[in-house]
């Protein structure tokens, strides 16, 4: 839910009025509402189904090109990216405590999403919302059982080779892994070699071999130490990609890892490897975005639930939706962009629509899993780490970040809650099917209260095991679990906000943004784009691709959206071309020594 009350209405109204005057670097001049009405009269009406990052991006790009856009959103703008209020937490004129589905992470490997953020005006920022990104200086792997926790600065100094030769890449990667993870030297060297194999693999090998190879098998985790397995196999997949190392596609994990490697080596990035927002997400990004889109003439229909995308005479003929009162309505437009998450979108595709494009049916094979957030509000600042925390031994694969220190323009106790909470420890729970340490039950089997107690116990087990008490019960003010999770502790738990995962062999089931239906387009992080991962960057890039397809179908002369691919080092292209030759001959990659 977005922030409610007069403060939010005042912000939206004021920001909308100022949007045209403020501008963001590179932003196009905002057309007036009259232009949108003229577009509607000219038959250029677009219904965007869903108001998450994909839907808002599509609305943004279309409105800048003169289309009349209406966004239909069931619950809240921003989708999984939004922040929300803790009900009943405000006291003494303060804001409610801020909560979220999970903490925002906008790494330097993203390019399309930051471009959009630069085009969203924010008072006092020369580069719009993008200027609200800050870079945590460090990260930590917290281990249980009394073992030393591992801290590392971000980015790692001294590991940026002048040239990207295989030897320089191997040397830099080995140094990074040894300084971060402290593995035996032979394991660090072996992992660096496996990364080099992927970096120099041609696309055919990635699609035909690595897509069908589990990450666990690719990095030979079964033959390595427990530390290697927990951090470089399980940690990378479960905590970042929210899937199991034994199932995750090497193509997916490797593509993401490739981008982070080049980011860490100072190549092809928009900024530092780790960036977060300097305010709660709605304050820093979603509310200004809504205000800007309203200034462009975008209309929002909140509380509308899409039920069925109807098909007739070779086109989408309308969309059946429930309005806020629960009455069935038929939405009509010239074009339709489906921007719902895949688990919701595929339920709305009618039989006729599916028959018109068999690609839609393949989406039924795409899989989702749970990765959901819980926030703990503290009355004292815990001395943990100035950045992200990865509890690599926690059964529920916990990752977390303390947020207040990264919100410099907000005084947490003065601005939020009852004035006694000084920090928000935001935690992502990535494994909901593993028994915990407190009750011996999975997260899905626990009640909401038990989930909170179990997560808190696992955090303490990871952080209080080396003779220092970093988290104490007396400092715990309260907690808030994502309301999208329901039915916990019952036989049928549900999660409204699941995450697309990437088991081996599933990439071919991901659809393109353009369908065979001439006025129907897909946008969302499940759509096949260059970043092979369920991310806000993927949602943004897919929306740009959907808009470009719509412009092509409409015969528009408007400038197409820029869709920037993931960075690939040009120095390695000769090695990839050589690998293509080897792959077609049935030979291994030249660096693949088994």
């Amino acid at each position: 839910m977005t922030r409610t009350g007069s403060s939010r209405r005042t912000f939206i109204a004021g920001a909308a009025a100022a949007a045209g005057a403020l501008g963001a670097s590179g932003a196009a001049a905002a057309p007036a509402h009259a232009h949108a009405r003229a577009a509607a009269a000219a038959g250029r009406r677009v219904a965007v189904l869903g108001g998450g990052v994909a839907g808002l991006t599509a609305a943004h790009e279309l409105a800048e090109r003169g289309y009349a856009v209406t966004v239909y959103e069931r619950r809240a703008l921003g989708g999984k990216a939004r922040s929300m209020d803790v009900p009943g937490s405000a006291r003494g004129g303060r804001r409610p405590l801020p909560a979220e589905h999970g903490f925002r992470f906008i790494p330097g490997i993203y390019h399309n999403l930051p471009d959009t953020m630069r085009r969203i005006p924010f008072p006092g920022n020369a580069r719009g919302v993008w200027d609200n990104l800050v870079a945590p200086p460090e990260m930590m792997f917290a281990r249980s059982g009394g073992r030393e926790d591992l801290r590392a600065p971000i980015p790692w100094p001294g590991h940026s080779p002048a040239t990207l030769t295989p030897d320089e890449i191997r040397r830099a990667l080995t140094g990074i892994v040894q300084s971060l993870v402290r593995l035996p030297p032979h394991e660090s060297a072996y992992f660096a070699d496996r990364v080099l194999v992927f970096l120099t693999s041609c696309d055919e090998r990635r699609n035909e071999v690595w897509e069908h190879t589990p990450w666990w098998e690719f990095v030979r985790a079964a033959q390595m130490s427990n530390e290697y397995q927990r951090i470089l196999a399980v940690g990378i997949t479960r905590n970042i990609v929210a899937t199991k190392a034994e199932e995750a596609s090497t193509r997916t994990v490797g593509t993401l890892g490739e981008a982070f490697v080049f980011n860490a080596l100072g190549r092809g990035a928009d900024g530092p490897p780790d960036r977060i927002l300097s305010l709660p997400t709605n304050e820093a990004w979603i509310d200004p975005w809504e205000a800007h889109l309203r200034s462009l003439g975008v209309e929002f229909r909140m509380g509308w639930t899409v039920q069925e995308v109807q098909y007739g005479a070779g086109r989408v003929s309308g969309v059946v939706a429930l309005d806020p009162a629960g009455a069935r309505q038929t939405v009509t437009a010239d074009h339709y962009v489906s921007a719902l998450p895949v688990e919701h979108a595929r339920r709305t595709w009618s039989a006729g629509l599916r028959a018109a494009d068999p690609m839609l049916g393949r989406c039924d094979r795409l899989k989702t899993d749970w990765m959901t957030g819980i926030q703990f509000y503290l009355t004292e600042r815990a001395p943990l780490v100035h950045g992200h925390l990865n509890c690599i031994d926690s059964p529920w694969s916990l990752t977390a970040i303390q947020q207040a220190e990264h919100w410099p323009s907000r005084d947490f106790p003065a601005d939020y809650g009852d004035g006694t909470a000084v920090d928000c420890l935001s935690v992502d729970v990535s494994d909901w099917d593993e028994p915990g340490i407190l009750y011996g039950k999975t997260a899905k089997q626990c009640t909401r209260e038990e989930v909170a107690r179990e997560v808190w116990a696992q955090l303490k087990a990871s952080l209080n095991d080396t003779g220092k008490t970093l988290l104490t019960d007396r400092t715990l003010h309260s907690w808030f679990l994502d309301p999208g999770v329901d039915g916990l502790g019952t036989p049928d738990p549900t999660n409204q906000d699941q995450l697309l995962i990437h088991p081996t062999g599933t990439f071919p089931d991901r659809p393109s943004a353009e369908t065979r239906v001439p006025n129907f387009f897909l946008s969302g992080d499940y759509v096949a784009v260059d970043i092979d991962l369920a991310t806000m960057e993927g949602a943004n890039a897919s929306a740009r691709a959907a808009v470009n397809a719509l412009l092509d179908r409409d015969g528009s002369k408007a400038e197409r959206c820029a869709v920037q691919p993931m960075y690939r080092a040009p120095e390695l292209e000769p090695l990839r071309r050589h690998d293509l030759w080897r792959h077609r001959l049935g030979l291994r990659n030249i660096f693949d020594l088994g």
Side-chain angles (χ1 to χ4, degrees):
M1 70 189 71
T2 49
R3 196 169 66 247
T4 58
S6 60
S7 62
R8 182 175 183 277
R9 288 193 296 271
T10 301
F11 174 85
I12 293 294
L22 283 172
S25 177
H33 288 273
H35 292 174
R37 289 192 294 270
R44 304 178 73 195
R45 299 170 302 133
V46 183
V48 175
L49 313 178
V53 171
L56 295 180
T57 301
H60 193 159
E61 300 293 348
L62 287 164
E64 285 189 345
R65 288 158 178 80
Y67 284 80
V69 182
T70 303
V71 176
Y72 295 86
E73 168 56 39
R74 174 177 58 92
R75 185 177 49 181
L77 298 179
K80 291 191 288 287
R82 76 195 189 284
S83 57
M84 62 195 85
D85 298 339
V86 177
S89 62
R91 299 286 189 278
R94 298 179 185 87
R95 302 166 184 261
L97 288 170
E100 57 198 355
H101 166 74
F103 55 76
R104 301 274 61 74
F105 172 47
I106 304 174
I109 67 172
Y110 292 2
H111 288 278
N112 297 290
L113 184 68
D115 172 70
T116 296
M117 298 177 85
R118 289 186 179 93
R119 291 155 46 207
I120 303 170
F122 192 92
N125 288 359
R127 292 168 293 190
V129 163
W130 187 87
D131 281 338
N132 291 336
L133 293 174
V134 295
E138 61 178 346
M139 65 175 295
M140 181 169 77
F141 288 108
R143 303 181 295 182
S144 59
R147 291 180 297 167
E148 180 187 2
D149 297 331
L150 304 176
R151 292 173 179 260
I154 303 174
W156 297 270
H159 293 301
S160 298
T163 58
L164 289 182
T165 64
D167 285 343
E168 289 292 340
I169 292 174
R170 183 185 289 111
R171 185 178 299 113
L173 287 176
T174 302
I176 290 173
V177 172
Q178 285 184 330
S179 64
L180 174 62
V181 186
R182 302 178 195 172
L183 293 173
H186 74 278
E187 291 192 348
S188 298
Y190 185 78
F191 183 77
D193 279 343
R194 298 311 293 166
V195 174
L196 191 60
V197 168
F198 189 86
L199 295 182
T200 57
S201 288
C202 64
D203 287 337
E204 283 190 17
R205 190 185 299 277
R206 294 184 184 196
N207 294 336
E208 297 172 11
V209 179
W210 303 142
E211 168 62 22
H212 301 278
T213 303
W215 179 250
W216 179 271
E217 179 183 324
F218 179 78
V219 298
R220 307 294 194 270
Q223 288 79 47
M224 300 298 176
S225 66
N226 181 69
E227 201 86 337
Y228 182 103
Q229 294 173 358
R230 295 301 302 169
I231 297 177
L232 298 179
V234 175
I236 288 176
T237 55
R238 197 63 189 167
N239 294 132
I240 299 176
V241 192
T243 191
K244 295 178 176 63
E246 296 85 351
E247 300 176 358
S249 158
T250 292
R251 182 190 190 280
T252 293
V253 180
T255 299
L256 181 72
E258 177 179 40
F260 274 110
V261 164
F262 290 137
N263 195 173
L265 299 182
R267 291 295 191 94
D270 183 80
D274 189 0
R275 295 182 300 188
I276 60 175
L277 290 164
S278 61
L279 289 167
T281 308
N282 276 28
E283 294 184 47
W285 176 23
I286 303 301
D287 286 351
W289 203 1
E290 177 187 352
H292 183 55
L293 295 184
R294 289 186 184 276
S295 78
L296 296 176
V298 175
E299 296 183 0
F300 294 94
R301 297 287 183 267
M302 303 302 298
W304 287 64
T305 302
V306 176
Q307 290 197 311
E308 182 181 11
V309 180
Q310 297 178 319
Y311 179 81
R315 301 172 61 84
V316 170
S317 56
V319 172
V320 176
L322 299 181
D323 67 16
R328 284 172 60 91
Q329 305 282 355
T330 300
V331 172
T332 59
D334 300 300
H335 307 279
Y336 302 83
V337 178
S338 177
L340 299 170
V342 66
E343 68 272 20
H344 299 301
R346 59 193 176 197
R347 292 198 297 263
T348 70
W349 299 336
S350 63
L353 189 67
R354 286 168 170 262
D357 192 341
M359 173 183 74
L360 300 176
R362 293 200 301 273
C363 291
D364 293 339
R365 299 198 289 261
L366 296 176
K367 298 182 179 181
T368 59
D369 203 347
W370 291 30
M371 187 177 188
T372 303
I374 181 171
Q375 288 77 53
F376 295 96
Y377 305 95
L378 309 178
T379 56
E380 294 180 12
R381 187 74 59 83
L384 304 182
V385 62
H386 302 293
H388 287 98
L389 162 70
N390 189 326
C391 300
I392 61 173
D393 296 322
S394 58
W396 290 1
S397 297
L398 306 181
T399 51
I401 190 168
Q402 290 172 273
Q403 295 186 314
E405 68 174 293
H406 303 292
W407 295 342
S409 55
R410 284 282 182 266
D411 185 334
F412 203 101
D415 287 351
Y416 298 105
D418 61 7
T420 62
V422 303
D423 206 351
C424 172
L425 180 61
S426 186
V427 185
D428 278 353
V429 180
S430 296
D431 194 331
W432 286 73
D433 298 302
E434 185 74 17
I437 64 174
L438 198 59
Y439 301 105
K441 297 190 292 186
T442 71
K444 292 176 183 177
Q445 293 170 334
C446 290
T447 65
R448 297 179 73 86
E449 179 76 27
E450 288 172 339
V451 167
R453 291 180 181 274
E454 178 71 55
V455 172
W456 186 249
Q458 291 186 30
L459 288 170
K460 291 192 295 183
S462 295
L463 297 166
N464 294 351
D465 62 323
T466 56
K468 296 179 181 179
T469 303
L470 303 182
L471 287 181
T472 63
D473 293 342
R474 66 175 178 81
T475 65
L476 180 57
H477 174 278
S478 56
W479 56 269
F480 183 82
L481 177 62
D482 183 0
V485 173
D486 197 12
L488 292 176
T490 74
D492 298 301
T494 59
N495 187 342
Q496 296 186 55
D497 300 297
Q498 297 190 39
L499 184 73
L500 181 73
I501 60 173
H502 306 267
T504 55
T506 57
F507 185 79
D509 296 326
R510 296 176 66 177
S512 63
E514 183 177 19
T515 76
R516 294 183 183 180
V517 181
N519 64 338
F520 185 63
F521 309 90
L522 302 179
S523 173
D525 60 13
Y526 66 98
V527 173
V529 291
D530 197 54
I531 184 168
D532 181 16
L533 192 67
T535 59
M536 295 183 293
E537 174 77 350
N540 184 279
S542 71
R544 292 166 179 245
V547 170
N548 285 345
L550 188 154
L551 296 174
D552 290 343
R553 288 273 177 84
D554 205 32
S556 172
K557 295 181 180 179
E559 182 179 359
R560 297 316 190 245
C561 308
V563 185
Q564 186 164 338
M566 300 284 281
Y567 177 79
R568 294 174 71 164
E571 296 97 322
L572 298 184
E573 288 305 318
L575 289 168
R576 293 194 188 97
R577 289 194 296 269
H578 179 71
D579 187 60
L580 177 61
W581 172 77
R582 293 180 63 87
H583 175 65
R584 290 178 175 176
L585 290 176
L587 302 174
R588 289 182 173 186
N589 179 280
I590 193 172
F591 297 106
D592 191 351
L593 304 179

